[in-house]
Amino acid sequence: MATNKKDFKPFIAADKIVPEFTFTSIFLGIILAIVFGAANAYLGLRVGMTVSASIPAAVISMGIIRLILKKESILENNLVQTIGSAGESVAAGAIFTLPAIFLWAGEGLVETPTLIEIFLISLVGGLLGVLFMIPLRKALIVEEHGVLPYPEGTACAEVLLAGEEGGAKASTVFAGLGVAAGYKFVSDGLNVFPSSVESEISGYKGSMIGMDILPALLGVGYICGPKISGYMLSGGILGWFVLMPLISLFGGDVVIFPAEDPISILDPWGLWGSYVRYIGAGAVAAGGILSLIKSLPLIIKTFSHAMKSFSKAGGNSDIRTEQDLHMPTILGCIAIIAVAIWLLPVFPVTLLGAIIIVLFGFFFATVSSRMVGLVGSSNNPVSGMAIATLLIATTLLKVTGINGADGMVGAIAIGSIICIVAAIAGDTSQDLKTGFLLGATPKKQQIGEIIGVFVSAVTIGGVLYLLNEAWGFGSKEILAPQASMMKMIVEGVMNAELPWTLIFAGVGIAILIEVLGVPVLPFAVGLYLPLGLSTGIMVGGLVRLYIDKKKNISEEERKDSTERGILYTSGLIAGEGLVGVLLAIFAVIKFADKETLADKIGVVGNSFNIGQIGGIIIFALLTLSLVYVIVGKKRNS
């Protein structure tokens, strides 16, 4: 592909008309938006991380459209991944904040948010993210082609251009999905083996070694790579092998807030929940803010470019590949959304407050859109943006007299909008980059983004209700780590009822790690999460390290092997997420005799269990299946 914008020619010429915005592409896109949205919601609530759905959605689309429907249209496949990834991004933004309201509802402070409220918050954030990105397309995607690489968008285009391999690649994704689905059902459904193994260390009170042996963690570790996985594990080691034993050693029989029992009787989970979790939250918050501060020069430059681009985006073109949604339509929709934020009771703000939310959203959307072009979506400081927004929003609400429970819910609603705006703006820019390289019609892609946003906004509330009803947010099964941290931040500003010494200790650790030159956020997340999650992720990281360092293979073979692994692990993540949602349905549906569907079909209390050793063996076999997919011979379609 030419990197000079003057020499660049898309794969599909502007004067060529091929199927793109069809019933097939819309229907498949909607299905994948629901599937990957639900899977990523489960993954994010379980382990605190999400992954992009663009490439697996594109590969699945190619497999279905080419092999089953016998159709040939790269632009149809592109629209499918556009809709599917938009749904995943809205879900990712929503789950990092909205479960905080469910947690307060469980404490009796507020009412559980209704499906309509969740829908409105998700829809407003998603629409603003898409609408703000559209006027930036020409400046960021077209004018800076060759300057802003947009790594995920470019990679997705390369996958779509390699369409002749679509069948083999799709089968790799489906294989991972099927393996993970069966694994998850046997483990957490039939309880044949535990999904978590752990053991306290005799003679080293307060410490514990453990691993969550889950397909999704293997997948996340492989996709993130050995460095990020290693940083996370380092944070977990500090918490579970240094801080917790020291707390146990020096605490004795003293009761120290926020715990209600003497430290001497707390087991490792009690020490983590009462103390280390707050230290980790302080480190994560500091890491998010530090990433934002380090990005300030780029943010200022980005915002300057964005303001200039608005003046260039007024007209529209007759050339198919240059057609955007019309600016009057965009501005009119933004104005309607601002009025809706002002009038709807779910957003406790005045008209000025609604305008401020829109301005904040525009600022973070422009920042996100350009930053993902430079450093990729995985390095986009969305958490820092969300934390900064929550701190400002909570403070302003408190100063203006909206405090207590109403103020806390309002702050989370505002923070949710901004978090979703940043996530969907980054995703939209990557998708439009893919479309630019392929020769897609921007206007049709933008409508596809809106469809994906709407579908995910409709479904995410049901997923949140289902998972909360089945296991409860904050439980060992569904930790909801980001939302728990956002809850702490809002409570700390609104009520000043937090163990600030522990939180500032976490801030100090984050600054120390930054000074040492280690990326703060992955280390802080490892400190904040239970150790078992980090060890499970590290296994996937080690598999990725193996292929990255493998000798006696060409770079082309290494690239192919890495890609096969990414497709397989994307399937692992999706498969576990979908079965996790299915098991939640089993646990929630009740009959007249008060038994759940899980009880009826025997998906609980299975007497046959192979124990922790058996679980480790099964997880080792799962890991070997990933290695086999990576090193096995490339299959032909």
Side-chain angles (χ1 to χ4, degrees):
M1 296 179 186
T3 56
N4 188 315
K5 70 175 182 179
K6 292 182 180 179
D7 299 331
F8 173 76
K9 291 182 180 180
F11 181 72
I12 302 293
D15 58 356
K16 186 176 181 180
I17 305 298
V18 299
E20 184 174 5
F21 196 82
T22 64
F23 173 80
T24 299
S25 61
I26 295 171
F27 180 76
L28 280 178
I30 289 173
I31 295 299
L32 292 180
I34 295 171
V35 168
F36 284 105
N40 248 355
Y42 177 83
L43 177 68
L45 290 167
R46 180 78 188 251
V47 306
M49 302 175 72
T50 60
V51 294
S52 172
S54 293
I55 290 177
V59 168
I60 291 172
S61 172
M62 284 191 292
I64 294 174
I65 290 178
R66 283 179 59 88
L67 297 182
I68 298 177
L69 301 180
K70 306 298 182 183
K71 296 171 66 178
E72 299 264 353
S73 175
I74 194 171
L75 297 190
E76 274 187 300
N77 290 321
N78 179 55
L79 193 72
V80 171
Q81 72 84 16
T82 296
I83 297 173
S85 64
E88 165 263 318
S89 295
V90 171
I95 61 163
F96 285 171
T97 48
L98 289 176
I101 305 178
F102 286 85
L103 291 169
W104 284 321
E107 297 170 4
L109 297 177
V110 300
E111 294 293 326
T112 303
T114 65
L115 291 174
I116 294 295
E117 289 171 341
I118 296 172
F119 165 74
L120 290 172
I121 292 171
S122 303
L123 183 66
V124 164
L127 289 178
L128 285 177
V130 175
L131 294 172
F132 286 145
M133 172 53 206
I134 293 172
L136 306 176
R137 186 192 69 84
K138 289 180 180 177
L140 299 182
I141 308 296
V142 180
E143 296 299 324
E144 298 205 52
H145 177 61
V147 178
L148 299 177
Y150 284 98
E152 286 90 349
T154 301
C156 189
E158 290 175 352
V159 168
L160 286 166
L161 287 170
E164 66 274 9
E165 298 175 20
K169 290 181 177 180
S171 66
T172 303
V173 177
F174 283 119
L177 195 150
V179 168
Y183 184 106
K184 179 74 172 177
F185 188 78
V186 171
S187 172
D188 288 350
L190 299 177
N191 290 321
V192 172
F193 60 91
S195 58
S196 177
V197 296
E198 59 187 43
S199 176
E200 294 187 36
I201 301 175
S202 177
Y204 195 39
K205 184 173 171 56
S207 66
M208 184 176 73
I209 189 168
M211 178 188 295
D212 286 13
I213 47 176
L214 296 168
L217 297 183
L218 184 67
V220 168
Y222 182 86
I223 292 171
C224 289
K227 283 191 175 181
I228 299 298
S229 301
Y231 295 142
M232 289 185 65
L233 181 60
S234 299
I237 290 171
L238 175 63
W240 291 73
F241 289 99
V242 179
L243 297 180
M244 284 163 49
L246 286 176
I247 293 170
S248 180
L249 175 65
F250 294 116
D253 294 325
V254 178
V255 178
I256 301 176
F257 177 78
E260 298 177 352
D261 297 314
I263 289 175
S264 59
I265 68 170
L266 294 177
D267 64 5
W269 280 103
L271 291 170
W272 172 79
S274 299
Y275 302 109
V276 172
R277 190 163 63 103
Y278 292 95
I279 297 173
V284 171
I289 293 173
L290 284 171
S291 69
L292 205 58
I293 292 172
K294 288 195 297 183
S295 304
L296 271 178
L298 181 58
I299 287 171
I300 294 169
K301 183 179 178 182
T302 293
F303 195 69
S304 173
H305 277 274
M307 296 308 294
K308 292 176 182 177
S309 73
F310 259 104
S311 64
K312 301 177 183 177
N316 217 338
S317 172
D318 292 330
I319 301 174
R320 181 183 62 81
T321 55
E322 296 179 9
Q323 294 175 355
D324 292 301
L325 290 176
H326 292 286
M327 181 60 76
T329 302
I330 295 170
L331 295 177
C333 290
I334 292 172
I336 292 171
I337 291 171
V339 172
I341 293 173
W342 170 39
L343 295 178
L344 292 172
V346 67
F347 309 109
V349 295
T350 62
L351 179 58
L352 177 61
I355 294 172
I356 291 173
I357 290 173
V358 170
L359 291 176
F360 258 82
F362 171 69
F363 175 73
F364 284 128
T366 58
V367 169
S368 180
S369 298
R370 185 178 175 86
M371 286 196 69
V372 299
L374 282 171
V375 298
S377 297
S378 59
N379 296 308
N380 190 16
V382 173
S383 60
M385 299 178 196
I387 291 167
T389 301
L390 279 179
L391 289 170
I392 295 170
T394 309
T395 302
L396 289 176
L397 288 172
K398 186 175 182 179
V399 168
T400 55
I402 305 175
N403 47 33
D406 291 340
M408 294 192 300
V409 171
I412 287 293
I414 294 168
S416 298
I417 291 176
I418 301 303
C419 195
I420 295 170
V421 164
I424 195 67
D427 171 77
T428 300
S429 59
Q430 296 283 11
D431 290 339
L432 291 176
K433 179 67 173 185
T434 303
F436 173 73
L437 296 172
L438 298 177
T441 309
K443 179 170 66 175
K444 293 178 180 178
Q445 270 195 285
Q446 291 153 11
I447 295 172
E449 295 280 357
I450 292 171
I451 292 171
V453 163
F454 183 84
V455 168
S456 187
V458 169
T459 56
I460 188 61
V463 174
L464 291 177
Y465 259 82
L466 184 64
L467 296 176
N468 185 60
E469 181 68 22
W471 296 298
F473 296 136
S475 66
K476 194 173 178 181
E477 290 81 4
I478 300 290
L479 286 168
Q482 267 83 359
S484 298
M485 184 186 64
M486 303 300 179
K487 172 178 176 283
M488 287 185 208
I489 291 171
V490 173
E491 288 175 342
V493 175
M494 194 68 74
N495 302 328
E497 293 180 354
L498 283 178
W500 287 106
T501 300
L502 297 175
I503 289 174
F504 281 120
V507 172
I509 290 173
I511 294 172
L512 172 64
I513 295 302
E514 176 68 28
V515 170
L516 292 175
V518 175
V520 176
L521 269 178
F523 182 92
V525 168
L527 177 59
Y528 178 62
L529 293 174
L531 178 65
L533 294 175
S534 297
T535 50
I537 289 171
M538 190 67 230
V539 174
L542 290 174
V543 175
R544 180 66 175 270
L545 179 65
Y546 163 73
I547 191 61
D548 287 347
K549 299 295 184 181
K550 193 173 188 291
K551 298 179 180 180
N552 302 322
I553 62 170
S554 67
E555 285 305 309
E556 185 65 28
E557 290 173 323
R558 194 186 312 278
K559 181 181 176 182
D560 288 341
S561 295
T562 301
E563 184 180 280
R564 288 199 300 275
I566 289 174
L567 293 174
Y568 185 71
T569 51
S570 295
L572 291 181
I573 291 168
E576 180 180 334
L578 292 176
V579 174
V581 173
L582 181 66
L583 292 177
I585 295 173
F586 288 169
V588 168
I589 295 177
K590 295 183 179 180
F591 295 87
D593 58 4
K594 304 298 183 183
E595 281 193 322
T596 66
L597 183 58
D599 298 322
K600 291 284 186 183
I601 64 175
V603 189
V604 289
N606 184 18
S607 59
F608 177 71
N609 190 293
I610 60 178
Q612 293 195 149
I613 299 298
I616 293 172
I617 293 172
I618 299 295
F619 187 68
L621 293 174
L622 177 69
T623 305
L624 287 175
S625 76
L626 171 58
V627 175
Y628 175 77
V629 168
I630 293 170
V631 301
K633 291 184 179 180
K634 185 176 178 182
R635 287 172 288 181
N636 296 319
S637 56

